[in-house]
PDB file of all heavy atoms in Angstrom:
ATOM      1  N   GLN A  42     -17.649   4.938  14.432  1.00 98.00           N
ATOM      2  CA  GLN A  42     -17.720   3.836  13.441  1.00 98.00           C
ATOM      3  C   GLN A  42     -16.958   4.105  12.169  1.00 98.00           C
ATOM      4  O   GLN A  42     -17.075   3.394  11.178  1.00 98.00           O
ATOM      5  CB  GLN A  42     -19.195   3.554  13.091  1.00 98.00           C
ATOM      6  CG  GLN A  42     -20.036   3.158  14.350  1.00 98.00           C
ATOM      7  CD  GLN A  42     -21.473   2.795  14.052  1.00 98.00           C
ATOM      8  OE1 GLN A  42     -22.329   2.993  14.894  1.00 98.00           O
ATOM      9  NE2 GLN A  42     -21.760   2.223  12.887  1.00 98.00           N
ATOM     10  N   TYR A  63     -29.781   4.297   7.252  1.00 98.00           N
ATOM     11  CA  TYR A  63     -29.916   5.733   7.465  1.00 98.00           C
ATOM     12  C   TYR A  63     -28.713   6.364   8.154  1.00 98.00           C
ATOM     13  O   TYR A  63     -28.560   7.577   8.156  1.00 98.00           O
ATOM     14  CB  TYR A  63     -31.164   5.955   8.358  1.00 98.00           C
ATOM     15  CG  TYR A  63     -31.092   4.996   9.542  1.00 98.00           C
ATOM     16  CD1 TYR A  63     -30.385   5.346  10.660  1.00 98.00           C
ATOM     17  CD2 TYR A  63     -31.591   3.718   9.432  1.00 98.00           C
ATOM     18  CE1 TYR A  63     -30.190   4.412  11.683  1.00 98.00           C
ATOM     19  CE2 TYR A  63     -31.424   2.789  10.423  1.00 98.00           C
ATOM     20  CZ  TYR A  63     -30.716   3.153  11.532  1.00 98.00           C
ATOM     21  OH  TYR A  63     -30.512   2.252  12.539  1.00 98.00           O
ATOM     22  N   ARG A  64     -27.835   5.569   8.794  1.00 98.00           N
ATOM     23  CA  ARG A  64     -26.652   6.121   9.405  1.00 98.00           C
ATOM     24  C   ARG A  64     -25.572   6.224   8.320  1.00 98.00           C
ATOM     25  O   ARG A  64     -24.583   5.489   8.263  1.00 98.00           O
ATOM     26  CB  ARG A  64     -26.183   5.190  10.563  1.00 98.00           C
ATOM     27  CG  ARG A  64     -25.250   5.851  11.561  1.00 98.00           C
ATOM     28  CD  ARG A  64     -24.889   4.919  12.717  1.00 98.00           C
ATOM     29  NE  ARG A  64     -25.980   4.520  13.519  1.00 98.00           N
ATOM     30  CZ  ARG A  64     -26.623   5.298  14.437  1.00 98.00           C
ATOM     31  NH1 ARG A  64     -26.152   6.523  14.637  1.00 98.00           N
ATOM     32  NH2 ARG A  64     -27.672   4.881  15.099  1.00 98.00           N
ATOM     33  N   GLY A 142     -27.188  -2.451  10.170  1.00 98.00           N
ATOM     34  CA  GLY A 142     -26.872  -2.590  11.602  1.00 98.00           C
ATOM     35  C   GLY A 142     -27.165  -3.976  12.132  1.00 98.00           C
ATOM     36  O   GLY A 142     -27.790  -4.820  11.446  1.00 98.00           O
ATOM     37  N   ASP A 143     -26.732  -4.192  13.370  1.00 98.00           N
ATOM     38  CA  ASP A 143     -27.026  -5.453  14.022  1.00 98.00           C
ATOM     39  C   ASP A 143     -28.555  -5.642  14.185  1.00 98.00           C
ATOM     40  O   ASP A 143     -29.081  -6.746  14.040  1.00 98.00           O
ATOM     41  CB  ASP A 143     -26.395  -5.493  15.409  1.00 98.00           C
ATOM     42  CG  ASP A 143     -26.582  -4.190  16.140  1.00 98.00           C
ATOM     43  OD1 ASP A 143     -25.819  -3.234  15.883  1.00 98.00           O
ATOM     44  OD2 ASP A 143     -27.537  -4.102  16.978  1.00 98.00           O
ATOM     45  N   GLY A 144     -29.230  -4.514  14.457  1.00 98.00           N
ATOM     46  CA  GLY A 144     -30.688  -4.625  14.661  1.00 98.00           C
ATOM     47  C   GLY A 144     -31.397  -5.143  13.433  1.00 98.00           C
ATOM     48  O   GLY A 144     -32.437  -5.822  13.518  1.00 98.00           O
ATOM     49  N   ALA A 145     -30.852  -4.805  12.279  1.00 98.00           N
ATOM     50  CA  ALA A 145     -31.504  -5.194  11.020  1.00 98.00           C
ATOM     51  C   ALA A 145     -31.441  -6.687  10.734  1.00 98.00           C
ATOM     52  O   ALA A 145     -32.164  -7.191   9.884  1.00 98.00           O
ATOM     53  CB  ALA A 145     -30.830  -4.419   9.868  1.00 98.00           C
ATOM     54  N   GLU A 170     -22.738  -3.920  10.484  1.00 98.00           N
ATOM     55  CA  GLU A 170     -22.025  -3.027  11.422  1.00 98.00           C
ATOM     56  C   GLU A 170     -22.614  -3.297  12.831  1.00 98.00           C
ATOM     57  O   GLU A 170     -23.629  -2.757  13.176  1.00 98.00           O
ATOM     58  CB  GLU A 170     -22.238  -1.572  11.079  1.00 98.00           C
ATOM     59  CG  GLU A 170     -21.689  -1.213   9.725  1.00 98.00           C
ATOM     60  CD  GLU A 170     -21.602   0.315   9.579  1.00 98.00           C
ATOM     61  OE1 GLU A 170     -20.836   0.949  10.307  1.00 98.00           O
ATOM     62  OE2 GLU A 170     -22.255   0.824   8.664  1.00 98.00           O
ATOM     63  N   ASN A 171     -21.967  -4.181  13.518  1.00 98.00           N
ATOM     64  CA  ASN A 171     -22.424  -4.537  14.854  1.00 98.00           C
ATOM     65  C   ASN A 171     -21.917  -3.511  15.859  1.00 98.00           C
ATOM     66  O   ASN A 171     -20.779  -3.646  16.356  1.00 98.00           O
ATOM     67  CB  ASN A 171     -22.022  -5.903  15.239  1.00 98.00           C
ATOM     68  CG  ASN A 171     -22.569  -6.368  16.568  1.00 98.00           C
ATOM     69  OD1 ASN A 171     -23.198  -5.531  17.284  1.00 98.00           O
ATOM     70  ND2 ASN A 171     -22.310  -7.577  17.003  1.00 98.00           N
ATOM     71  N   ASN A 172     -22.716  -2.514  16.164  1.00 98.00           N
ATOM     72  CA  ASN A 172     -22.289  -1.483  17.140  1.00 98.00           C
ATOM     73  C   ASN A 172     -22.879  -1.786  18.497  1.00 98.00           C
ATOM     74  O   ASN A 172     -22.991  -0.921  19.354  1.00 98.00           O
ATOM     75  CB  ASN A 172     -22.611  -0.066  16.647  1.00 98.00           C
ATOM     76  CG  ASN A 172     -24.095   0.122  16.454  1.00 98.00           C
ATOM     77  OD1 ASN A 172     -24.934  -0.724  16.756  1.00 98.00           O
ATOM     78  ND2 ASN A 172     -24.465   1.281  15.865  1.00 98.00           N
ATOM     79  N   LEU A 173     -23.308  -2.991  18.663  1.00 98.00           N
ATOM     80  CA  LEU A 173     -23.789  -3.578  19.959  1.00 98.00           C
ATOM     81  C   LEU A 173     -25.171  -3.146  20.394  1.00 98.00           C
ATOM     82  O   LEU A 173     -25.729  -3.699  21.308  1.00 98.00           O
ATOM     83  CB  LEU A 173     -22.791  -3.303  21.110  1.00 98.00           C
ATOM     84  CG  LEU A 173     -21.289  -3.638  20.851  1.00 98.00           C
ATOM     85  CD1 LEU A 173     -20.526  -3.565  22.150  1.00 98.00           C
ATOM     86  CD2 LEU A 173     -21.106  -4.968  20.172  1.00 98.00           C
ATOM     87  N   TYR A 174     -25.726  -2.175  19.692  1.00 98.00           N
ATOM     88  CA  TYR A 174     -27.110  -1.765  20.038  1.00 98.00           C
ATOM     89  C   TYR A 174     -27.949  -1.419  18.791  1.00 98.00           C
ATOM     90  O   TYR A 174     -27.401  -0.877  17.818  1.00 98.00           O
ATOM     91  CB  TYR A 174     -27.099  -0.463  20.910  1.00 98.00           C
ATOM     92  CG  TYR A 174     -26.466  -0.651  22.281  1.00 98.00           C
ATOM     93  CD1 TYR A 174     -25.103  -0.470  22.442  1.00 98.00           C
ATOM     94  CD2 TYR A 174     -27.263  -1.051  23.344  1.00 98.00           C
ATOM     95  CE1 TYR A 174     -24.531  -0.652  23.699  1.00 98.00           C
ATOM     96  CE2 TYR A 174     -26.683  -1.219  24.605  1.00 98.00           C
ATOM     97  CZ  TYR A 174     -25.314  -1.009  24.770  1.00 98.00           C
ATOM     98  OH  TYR A 174     -24.750  -1.224  26.006  1.00 98.00           O
ATOM     99  N   GLY A 175     -29.213  -1.744  18.857  1.00 98.00           N
ATOM    100  CA  GLY A 175     -30.180  -1.186  17.909  1.00 98.00           C
ATOM    101  C   GLY A 175     -31.014  -0.255  18.756  1.00 98.00           C
ATOM    102  O   GLY A 175     -31.725  -0.750  19.666  1.00 98.00           O
ATOM    103  N   MET A 176     -30.926   0.991  18.509  1.00 98.00           N
ATOM    104  CA  MET A 176     -31.506   1.994  19.469  1.00 98.00           C
ATOM    105  C   MET A 176     -31.034   1.712  20.854  1.00 98.00           C
ATOM    106  O   MET A 176     -29.872   1.735  21.120  1.00 98.00           O
ATOM    107  CB  MET A 176     -33.019   2.123  19.315  1.00 98.00           C
ATOM    108  CG  MET A 176     -33.453   2.802  18.022  1.00 98.00           C
ATOM    109  SD  MET A 176     -35.207   3.190  17.931  1.00 98.00           S
ATOM    110  CE  MET A 176     -35.363   4.530  19.083  1.00 98.00           C
ATOM    111  N   THR A 178     -31.583  -1.238  22.465  1.00 98.00           N
ATOM    112  CA  THR A 178     -31.663  -2.664  22.746  1.00 98.00           C
ATOM    113  C   THR A 178     -30.309  -3.298  22.393  1.00 98.00           C
ATOM    114  O   THR A 178     -29.888  -3.344  21.246  1.00 98.00           O
ATOM    115  CB  THR A 178     -32.793  -3.325  21.932  1.00 98.00           C
ATOM    116  OG1 THR A 178     -33.990  -2.607  22.200  1.00 98.00           O
ATOM    117  CG2 THR A 178     -32.964  -4.783  22.378  1.00 98.00           C
ATOM    118  N   VAL A 180     -27.538  -6.054  21.615  1.00 98.00           N
ATOM    119  CA  VAL A 180     -27.639  -7.207  20.685  1.00 98.00           C
ATOM    120  C   VAL A 180     -28.159  -8.481  21.393  1.00 98.00           C
ATOM    121  O   VAL A 180     -29.089  -9.095  20.921  1.00 98.00           O
ATOM    122  CB  VAL A 180     -26.309  -7.494  20.054  1.00 98.00           C
ATOM    123  CG1 VAL A 180     -26.321  -8.809  19.293  1.00 98.00           C
ATOM    124  CG2 VAL A 180     -25.905  -6.405  19.093  1.00 98.00           C
ATOM    125  N   ARG A 237     -20.997   2.940  18.542  1.00 98.00           N
ATOM    126  CA  ARG A 237     -21.303   4.357  18.315  1.00 98.00           C
ATOM    127  C   ARG A 237     -21.156   5.128  19.586  1.00 98.00           C
ATOM    128  O   ARG A 237     -21.651   4.729  20.629  1.00 98.00           O
ATOM    129  CB  ARG A 237     -22.707   4.520  17.659  1.00 98.00           C
ATOM    130  CG  ARG A 237     -23.855   4.266  18.539  1.00 98.00           C
ATOM    131  CD  ARG A 237     -25.196   4.712  17.933  1.00 98.00           C
ATOM    132  NE  ARG A 237     -26.291   3.921  18.457  1.00 98.00           N
ATOM    133  CZ  ARG A 237     -26.719   3.968  19.705  1.00 98.00           C
ATOM    134  NH1 ARG A 237     -26.155   4.783  20.542  1.00 98.00           N
ATOM    135  NH2 ARG A 237     -27.759   3.221  20.068  1.00 98.00           N
TER     136      ARG A 237
HETATM  137 MG1  LIG C 402     -26.727  -1.245  15.890  1.00 74.91          MG
END
Side-chain angles (χ1 to χ4, degrees):
Chain A
Q42 302 183 210
Y63 48 85
R64 199 178 295 286
D143 45 278
E170 296 193 64
N171 182 357
N172 61 8
L173 312 191
Y174 295 89
M176 288 189 71
T178 307
V180 171
R237 72 169 152 69

